[in-house]
Structure formats: C-alpha cells, structure tokens
Amino acid sequence: MMHKASALIALVGASTALIAGAQGGSAAGGGLGDPQRHAAQGERAVTVPAQVAHTAPPATARTGVGHGVRVGKVTITTRERNGTYELVDPTRGGLSTHDFFADDNKKPLSDRDNVWGDGTMKSRQSAAVDAHFAAEKTWDYFQNTFGRRGVHNDGKGPSMTVHYDRNRADAFADHNGASFGDGKDGKNPTTSVDVVAHEYTHAINQATARLASSGEGAGLNEATSDIFGTMVEFYANTPADAPDYLIGEKANFYGDGKPLRYMDKPSRDGKSPDYYKPGIGRPDNVHYAAGVANHFFYLLAEGSGKKVINGTAYNSPTHNGSKITGIGRSKAARIWYKALTTQFSSTTNYKSARAGTLKASAALYGKNSTEYRTVEQAWTAVNVKQ
C-alpha cells in the first residue's frame, strides 16, 4: 500500500494486479477498478501514516517464530515496543505487515509472545506470516544480489496488507507495497512467496523502468514480476514451497491447484503464447502477453528440452527447433535486472527488450561472450527478432 492517509489499498498512484489486469506507467487503475466506485460502496480504507513503519531503531529488532499458511514454520524479524511485538522489521527499513480488517489497520499486527499464526486460516496471523516472511526474502534477494535496499533503493521497507477485501482471489501492488486477498472462498490466501515477490517487483518497476500498462510493455511488466517472483522463490527455498518455474501454484487462485502461468511452456495454461507474433499486446488479459518473455527467460536460464528441476518436470520448446543450453538463472536474472534498470522504459516493446537485454549482457559479460550469444538465441527461439 502507499503510505498515504485516506486511500484505498492499491489505488494510490499506479496499481498492479496479479491476474485481473496490469498497471504500470503512471496511470492509476489495475484490478481494483475505479477508486470512487469502491469508496462509494463503503470499502474499508487503509490510512497508514508515512512514518509508522520507519521510526523504531534497529536495537528493537527481535526474532519471531511464524507459522504461515503458504510458507510453513519460519523465522521472521519483528519489532518489540513496550513489551509487545509488532510485524515491523527494523532491519529491513521498517517493512511492515497489516490486517485490512483490523480495528485500526494503520497499525501493524501485534502479538504478546512473538509466536505468530498456527499455519491455518483460523488465525488471522497465519497469512500475515506468509506476507511478512516473503517480503523479507524479497528485500534480501534484491539487496544481496543487486545491492538494492528497498523498492526505491532508499532503505525504506514496503507495507504488506493481508485479508484484503472479502473473498478476493487476487493480489495488488502500488508504488510502495502490496495487498493480498484470501481467495474466492476466503480460505486460500494469495500470499505464496512468488506472488508476494511478484507484487514487490511491480513496485520496483514503477521506481525504475516504468514499463507500460498496456500493449507489449504490459506483458514485459508482468513477465518482470514473474521472473523475479521465481528468483525469490529459489532464493527462499522453503520446504513448504519447493522452487520452480510455475507462477502462483501455491496460491491456488482457481481452486484447482493449478498454477497461473508456466514459464517453460506458457501455452500450458491454455491461453498464453509460447512465441511472439504481431498483436501480442492485445489479449483479453495482459498477463498472457508475459508468456513470450517468461519463455525467453526460462530458455536463457535453463535451456530447451526436457528436464526435471527440484522434482518438477519441464519440456521447453523453441520456435525454430533450435537446442539451447542455458546460462543459469543467476546470470539470466542479472541480465534482466540490468536491462530493467538501465535499458527499459515506458516505451519498451518486445523488439526493444531484445536490444536492451543484449546491451545489458554485453555490459556484464562482453559482446563475444557465451551469455551474449545465448541471449540472442533465446530471443530468436521465441520468435523475437532484430
């Protein structure tokens, strides 16, 4: 959520939704629709002052034990004040987690013994553990990998809000935080590690490239969040959620246990294209336009053909029948991040994304490197040409 008084979550500035629509650039919108309509219907407002999550000194940091719905038993960093523990992480810029339906939702969740949740939806703390832990791991991934401290690289942590609305199967982000629904049945919180990191990354896009909210740019926007959502899932490497190239598989958005998207072969979802073609930026849901970039990233990282990673089977095809040997997910992510922060902009489309990642790979590894050549091959393999 944006730390601003009298604003609905994810309706401040630019908002993004995991499945209902994407919003980048500078316009407001996204999956929640019109702010005035929601306000008129009496939706609960979140009024978190800008300073609430950033006032406590690091000395108050404590290690808590969390039992999440999606992440299982984990350790989390909390803040102790006056004998009460709060879901605020002083070591990560005051990153905080809130309950949308709390009596005073401008305050982070609190607890007396620093043991949070019971792993089920019977405790409102359980989904908060998921979001808090995943946001901490996302902060750590971007800091330890790229030196980025927070969404805006200013050392300030974002705010996570759980139990958003009623029976909402979606997750949303704005400039400096995210909110997560509990699913259509109120029992399936959208707080898996890759979903939380996906939304966090939308805020980073808004702070950097500002990839567009429509057309091919929107597909690249969504793919960027899928890519780093996946990378954070590998980084977190929790027993409860083995890392994979499936998007939102633990969030169970549709109630059938299936992922939202598949990076190795996007068409496995029945709608996303495996390869580029003109008009790809005009599907009925911009998330499908992410398929081509997701496929590119998988090929760049892991290569083509059949393989099993962490127990999950993949079989990634290529448009031209070529065989590709991946360069590894770490190098692939470094190339994408450098392109995002130095080459991409609000006007970037698939052709210019190819050019931008080639420039990034040349800067990182050299124009005559295997990495550079594999970037070329992977784009050609998804039919994105010069």
Side-chain angles (χ1 to χ4, degrees), residues 98-101 109 121 123-128 161-166 179-182 186 189 191:
H98 306 251
D99 183 339
F100 183 66
F101 282 104
L109 279 82
M121 290 295 282
S123 169
R124 295 188 70 80
Q125 292 182 354
S126 299
T161 298
V162 296
H163 305 302
Y164 178 74
D165 203 358
R166 296 188 186 279
S179 54
F180 304 90
D182 287 338
T191 48

Side-chain angles (χ1 to χ4, degrees), residues 136-151 153 197 200-201 204 224 228-229 231-232 235 337 340:
E136 288 181 334
K137 290 302 180 184
T138 307
W139 173 288
D140 290 350
Y141 170 77
F142 279 101
Q143 176 172 295
N144 294 339
T145 307
F146 307 115
R148 188 176 196 89
R149 299 183 67 249
V151 167
N153 201 22
Y200 191 115
T201 303
I204 290 178
T224 296
F228 289 114
M231 291 303 300
V232 172
Y235 181 86
Y337 181 81
L340 177 73

Side-chain angles (χ1 to χ4, degrees), residues 194-330:
D194 59 348
V195 171
V196 173
H198 175 108
E199 298 304 335
Y200 191 115
T201 303
H202 272 310
I204 290 178
N205 168 65
Q206 184 64 18
T208 56
R210 300 174 71 87
L211 288 162
S213 60
S214 61
E216 294 182 15
L220 292 163
N221 184 347
E222 290 301 326
T224 296
S225 283
D226 284 351
I227 287 166
F228 289 114
T230 295
M231 291 303 300
V232 172
E233 186 173 282
F234 274 98
Y235 181 86
N237 194 24
T238 62
D241 187 0
D244 52 45
Y245 287 93
L246 311 176
I247 306 302
E249 75 283 357
K250 292 294 184 181
N252 197 20
F253 279 90
Y254 300 124
D256 56 7
K258 294 182 179 179
L260 281 169
R261 292 181 284 282
Y262 303 79
M263 296 184 75
D264 67 315
K265 188 178 181 181
S267 61
R268 290 171 66 188
D269 68 10
K271 294 183 178 180
S272 296
D274 292 330
Y275 312 115
Y276 179 84
K277 60 181 179 180
I280 197 173
R282 298 190 297 274
D284 59 350
N285 186 320
V286 296
H287 296 80
Y288 301 137
V292 174
N294 280 347
H295 192 189
F296 159 80
F297 183 84
Y298 177 88
L299 288 170
L300 180 62
E302 302 292 348
S304 59
K306 294 182 179 180
K307 62 190 61 187
V308 177
I309 304 170
N310 288 339
T312 299
Y314 304 96
N315 189 4
S316 194
T318 59
H319 184 263
N320 57 355
S322 63
K323 294 182 180 180
I324 295 176
T325 300
I327 61 174
R329 69 183 69 95
S330 178

Side-chain angles (χ1 to χ4, degrees), residues 2 4 7-17 21-36 38 172-175 206 210 212-214:
M2 196 68 173
K4 184 176 180 180
L8 288 170
I9 292 180
L11 289 176
V12 181
S15 75
T16 54
Q23 186 69 34
S26 58
L32 292 182
D34 176 33
Q36 298 300 321
H38 284 272
F172 305 83
D174 66 14
H175 296 287
Q206 184 64 18
R210 300 174 71 87
S213 60
S214 61

Side-chain angles (χ1 to χ4, degrees), residues 299-382:
L299 288 170
L300 180 62
E302 302 292 348
S304 59
K306 294 182 179 180
K307 62 190 61 187
V308 177
I309 304 170
N310 288 339
T312 299
Y314 304 96
N315 189 4
S316 194
T318 59
H319 184 263
N320 57 355
S322 63
K323 294 182 180 180
I324 295 176
T325 300
I327 61 174
R329 69 183 69 95
S330 178
K331 288 182 177 180
R334 286 182 180 277
I335 290 170
W336 195 270
Y337 181 81
K338 189 166 185 65
L340 177 73
T341 55
T342 66
Q343 301 297 323
F344 293 174
S345 71
S346 61
T347 62
T348 297
N349 58 18
Y350 266 104
K351 185 176 181 179
S352 53
R354 174 183 170 125
T357 52
L358 283 169
K359 288 181 180 179
S361 61
L364 288 169
Y365 303 108
K367 198 168 184 179
N368 295 319
S369 65
T370 297
E371 292 81 3
Y372 185 94
R373 289 193 298 273
T374 308
V375 170
E376 287 185 308
Q377 294 165 1
W379 278 124
T380 300
V382 296

